[in-house]
């Protein structure tokens, strides 16, 4: 049912959809088959089959991938439809800004005029005030009544969100609720093989099995391990084998905090003697700019699910083209500058071994 998806334009007035996240690039297993099938139905018949569609599960299991896949599918097949993808944090910030600037009409126009609304991580709306929940409820009501598609993700079912407004929970429970579970061994192996193929790196079967047995509950960590091996192999000019994997993936599968851009920025700032605020900030002097470019490169490498616009937002709302330029610049310099390459290897080891 899936066709190849050309790169899409950013969703109007929202955050960019990642063209890499499609249904064809989503590895299906017993733990996520139902969620993927529901997402495909919502994409193929927006507003008609499962509305709202609520996908829940632990962090790093592919919920965000399914949201982007829905958006990409709709934009590819119905370019005239308005697709809006936002995180709950963005939704909340827009709401706060509209209250402060007394511009709630523009907020309503933005969220209530779309054909497909995709909201990620709605567990973060739980502690918010009544006014915010009221706005969310009326937004959902307006879209649902107009036959527009709503898809939400969370780390828990709406049934377990005790602090969610009752009528908002009731609205969510009227749709389809599906869980994305932890992938089984077979699925984990398939994910690793698919990621290695996309990255263009040869990973022996015993290395694939080693990683799959160490990482049981995070697709994000599975995919990140392949990125890490590729980076180390290229930088050190060594072939990947089981001993190489054990040496460079020593922290794999431990109970670590989820790696975030802030951890990478903190690590780069400390190594080069700057503050995280300076790394994110606008000041342009050569040593600082170089450290900033390294941080951008590492965020892109270690968090491959982060699109360029998302990374740009982490660095003071820069234009995403400046991030692309920085990443390509560091890639080029690493080929001839061994000191820089060693800095990046050391930083990568520190970050992935849980020092930050």
């Amino acid at each position: 049912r899936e066709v190849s998806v050309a790169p899409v334009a950013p969703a109007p007035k929202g955050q960019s959809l990642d063209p890499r996240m499609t249904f064809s690039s989503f590895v299906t297993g017993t733990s996520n088959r139902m969620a993927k099938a529901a997402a495909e139905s919502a994409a193929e018949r927006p507003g008609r089959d499962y509305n709202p569609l609520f996908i829940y599960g632990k962090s790093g299991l592919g919920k965000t991938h399914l949201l982007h896949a829905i958006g990409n599918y709709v934009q590819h097949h119905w370019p005239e439809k308005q697709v809006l993808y936002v995180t709950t944090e963005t939704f909340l910030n827009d709401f706060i800004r509209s209250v402060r600037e007394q511009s709630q009409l523009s907020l309503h126009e933005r969220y209530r005029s779309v054909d497909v609304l995709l909201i990620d991580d709605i567990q973060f709306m739980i502690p918010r005030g009544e006014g915010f929940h009221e706005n969310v409820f009326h937004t959902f009501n307006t879209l649902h009544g107009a036959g527009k598609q709503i898809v939400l993700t969370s780390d828990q079912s709406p049934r377990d969100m005790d602090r969610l407004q009752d009528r908002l929970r009731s609205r969510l429970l009227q749709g389809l609720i599906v869980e994305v579970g932890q992938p089984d061994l077979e699925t984990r192996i398939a994910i690793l093989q698919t990621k290695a193929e996309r990255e263009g790196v040869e990973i022996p079967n015993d290395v694939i099995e080693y990683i799959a047995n160490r990482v049981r509950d995070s697709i994000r960590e599975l995919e990140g391990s392949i990125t890490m091996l590729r980076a180390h192999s290229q930088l050190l000019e060594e072939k990947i084998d089981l001993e190489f994997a054990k040496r460079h993936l020593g922290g794999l599968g431990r109970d670590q905090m989820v790696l975030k851009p802030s951890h990478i920025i903190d690590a780069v700032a400390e190594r080069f003697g700057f503050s995280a605020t300076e790394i994110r900030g606008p000041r342009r002097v050569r040593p600082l700019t170089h450290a900033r470019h390294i941080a951008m490169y590492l965020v892109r490498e270690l968090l491959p699910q982060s699109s360029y616009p998302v990374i740009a937002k982490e660095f003071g709302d820069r234009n995403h083209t400046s991030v692309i330029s920085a990443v390509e610049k560091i890639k080029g310099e690493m080929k001839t500058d061994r000191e820089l390459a060693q800095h990046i290897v050391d930083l990568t080891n520190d970050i992935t071994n849980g020092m930050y």
Side-chain angles (χ1 to χ4, degrees):
R1 286 152 54 177
E2 174 65 10
V3 298
S4 60
V5 178
V8 295
K13 301 181 182 179
Q15 292 160 254
S16 297
L17 292 169
D18 189 334
R20 299 169 299 178
M21 294 185 181
T22 65
F23 289 122
S24 61
S25 66
F26 187 85
V27 178
T28 310
T30 55
S31 62
N32 58 27
R33 186 170 285 111
M34 176 68 176
K36 184 189 178 187
E40 285 178 322
S41 292
E44 291 167 355
R45 296 163 56 86
R48 298 170 66 185
D49 281 347
Y50 306 125
N51 197 25
L53 172 60
F54 193 103
I55 304 170
Y56 75 97
K58 291 182 179 178
S59 176
L61 296 180
K63 302 186 301 296
T64 297
H65 189 136
L66 288 175
L67 277 189
H68 283 263
I70 291 169
N72 282 320
Y73 187 98
V74 171
Q75 287 201 331
H76 180 80
H77 288 83
W78 299 282
E80 74 282 0
K81 286 189 181 293
Q82 298 282 305
V83 177
L84 182 63
Y85 165 78
V86 292
T87 63
T88 295
E89 179 185 13
T90 297
F91 194 2
L92 175 65
N93 289 339
D94 285 345
F95 172 72
I96 293 171
R97 190 181 303 112
S98 73
V99 172
R100 186 174 62 241
E101 298 174 358
Q102 297 184 335
S103 58
Q104 288 210 293
L105 182 59
S106 64
L107 179 76
H108 295 166
E109 288 174 352
R110 177 183 183 189
Y111 284 96
R112 301 181 188 182
S113 63
V114 299
D115 297 291
V116 179
L117 177 62
L118 311 167
I119 304 183
D120 215 354
D121 290 326
I122 73 156
Q123 69 270 13
F124 294 121
M125 76 167 58
I126 292 179
R128 310 307 175 186
E130 252 338 271
F132 179 65
H133 283 209
E134 191 83 7
N135 195 283
V136 173
F137 173 77
H138 288 300
T139 296
F140 288 3
N141 245 9
T142 299
L143 291 174
H144 189 273
K148 310 300 185 181
Q149 181 68 50
I150 305 163
V151 188
L152 310 141
T153 70
S154 173
D155 63 0
Q156 57 186 314
S157 166
R159 297 185 184 91
D160 301 322
M161 295 180 174
D162 296 334
R163 296 171 63 187
L164 201 62
Q165 190 185 69
D166 286 342
R167 61 177 181 168
L168 179 54
R169 182 190 295 105
S170 177
R171 167 60 72 196
L172 297 178
L173 292 175
Q174 289 175 8
L176 178 66
I177 301 169
V178 290
E179 181 179 10
V180 176
Q182 295 179 352
D184 58 22
L185 179 61
E186 183 181 81
T187 305
R188 297 198 300 273
I189 288 174
I191 289 167
L192 289 166
Q193 291 170 334
T194 301
K195 177 67 174 178
E197 184 179 336
R198 289 201 191 106
E199 295 256 345
V201 56
E202 288 188 24
I203 309 287
N205 288 336
D206 57 349
V207 175
I208 293 284
E209 291 174 7
Y210 167 76
I211 298 170
N213 280 297
R214 293 286 294 270
V215 180
R216 299 172 181 273
D217 57 1
S218 174
I219 292 172
R220 195 169 293 155
E221 190 174 3
L222 284 171
E223 293 186 332
S225 68
I226 299 297
T227 301
M228 285 292 304
L229 287 178
R230 178 180 61 78
H232 280 90
S233 177
Q234 290 177 347
L235 292 171
L236 300 174
E237 298 179 351
E238 292 184 28
K239 188 176 180 179
I240 297 171
D241 58 21
L242 185 56
E243 288 307 311
F244 182 91
K246 288 179 178 178
R247 192 161 69 248
H248 294 289
L249 298 176
L252 203 63
R254 294 178 186 165
D255 292 331
Q256 302 174 12
M257 69 180 93
V258 175
L259 185 60
K260 298 178 181 178
S262 59
H263 301 143
I264 297 169
I265 292 169
D266 288 345
V268 173
E270 182 170 323
R271 176 166 288 266
F272 291 99
F274 297 106
S275 69
T277 300
E278 288 175 309
I279 295 290
R280 288 188 172 93
R283 195 159 69 95
R284 297 177 61 84
V285 294
R286 179 163 172 73
L288 174 59
T289 301
H290 190 57
R292 184 180 297 132
H293 289 172
I294 290 172
M296 290 175 175
Y297 168 81
L298 284 170
V299 172
R300 179 66 177 177
E301 283 294 302
L302 300 182
L303 298 172
Q305 75 276 11
S306 297
S307 65
Y308 286 115
V310 168
I311 297 171
K313 188 174 181 180
E314 287 288 338
F315 289 85
D317 279 326
R318 284 176 163 77
N319 190 298
H320 75 279
T321 57
S322 66
V323 179
I324 297 173
S325 175
V327 170
E328 293 304 315
K329 184 172 185 290
I330 295 299
K331 280 183 181 178
E333 290 178 354
M334 285 167 58
K335 294 175 182 177
T336 56
D337 188 339
R338 299 308 300 171
E339 184 180 355
L340 171 62
Q342 190 59 53
H343 271 311
I344 289 176
V345 167
D346 293 343
L347 275 164
T348 300
N349 283 333
D350 290 346
I351 293 164
T352 55
N353 285 326
M355 290 183 65
Y356 292 89

